[in-house]
Amino acid sequence: SITSDGESISISGASTAATYTTTGNKNVLEADRFAFKIKRSGAATTLASIVITNTSDETLTFTPTALALTADEYLTVDLPFVSGTSTTSIYQGGTQYATTVTAPSYDYETDLKTVAFNWTGPAAGSDVVSLKQIEFYKSVSWHVHSLKDMTDGYIIFNCIRTEGRSDAKRRAYE
């Protein structure tokens, strides 16, 4: 069964997938990252894949290697959403999990249709997988001009944002 507390969705029972289907066409043209938080309670559960499908039914698949979900604590997953990526990593508790990216002919300029989360492991009605803060976003790049290493354990950075949130405005005027 699927329930929501207004902040997250929880899938319980022997289910091994959850699919988010957009209402209408969702433009993710400016996005270059895809992030979400996931946790489990109950039986050991492994995140098997994340499959993003566009309105042309082309798929982009992220397949982590043996990523066991943590019990009762959200794992933040942040993945690249750019062409040319064939591998990436997901980090959990300081451990790196290699993640294969498969996109035979994915068109990043086509609107978003669905995002499917697939896992293995739950077997009983009391097992729950929860997802929250699912988002596509544009990362922000900074250029560090200088830094000061202070004696009491902190560093002061002098930075300038070089690209990011203002890209949409710049693109409109090109």
Side-chain angles (χ1 to χ4, degrees):
S1 70
I2 297 176
T3 58
S4 177
D5 61 3
E7 179 182 318
S8 64
I9 59 169
S10 297
I11 302 91
S12 60
S15 177
T16 57
T19 301
Y20 167 74
T21 303
T22 62
T23 53
N25 296 333
K26 298 295 182 200
N27 181 343
V28 290
L29 181 61
E30 293 293 331
D32 64 359
R33 306 292 301 174
F34 171 64
F36 62 94
K37 292 185 178 186
I38 187 168
K39 74 174 181 176
R40 62 121 177 135
S41 62
T45 304
T46 302
L47 183 60
S49 66
I50 302 101
V51 181
I52 300 171
T53 306
N54 64 22
T55 53
S56 296
D57 289 327
E58 299 164 333
T59 59
L60 172 64
T61 305
F62 296 92
T63 309
T65 304
L67 179 60
L69 299 178
T70 53
D72 303 319
E73 183 178 320
Y74 278 101
L75 167 67
T76 299
V77 177
D78 192 340
L79 301 165
F81 185 69
V82 292
S83 62
T85 305
S86 60
T87 59
T88 188
S89 298
I90 297 173
Y91 290 88
Q92 178 179 15
T95 303
Q96 176 185 12
Y97 294 88
T99 302
T100 304
V101 182
T102 310
S105 63
Y106 191 84
D107 182 358
Y108 290 83
E109 295 183 5
T110 305
D111 291 345
L112 176 68
K113 182 178 178 183
T114 63
V115 178
F117 301 89
N118 303 294
W119 56 84
T120 59
S126 61
D127 296 338
V128 177
V129 173
S130 298
L131 294 157
K132 72 177 184 177
Q133 297 177 359
I134 302 165
E135 64 179 340
F136 287 87
Y137 69 95
K138 176 76 174 168
S139 59
V140 178
S141 295
W142 294 84
H143 183 262
V144 178
H145 283 266
S146 66
L147 62 92
K148 289 182 184 177
D149 193 0
M150 306 308 281
T151 58
D152 50 355
Y154 67 93
I155 300 173
I156 298 173
F157 290 92
N158 178 11
C159 305
I160 294 177
R161 186 168 68 200
T162 56
E163 60 183 72
R165 297 186 179 119
S166 63
D167 284 357
K169 292 177 193 172
R170 186 178 68 233
R171 199 170 133 265
Y173 293 111
E174 288 179 349

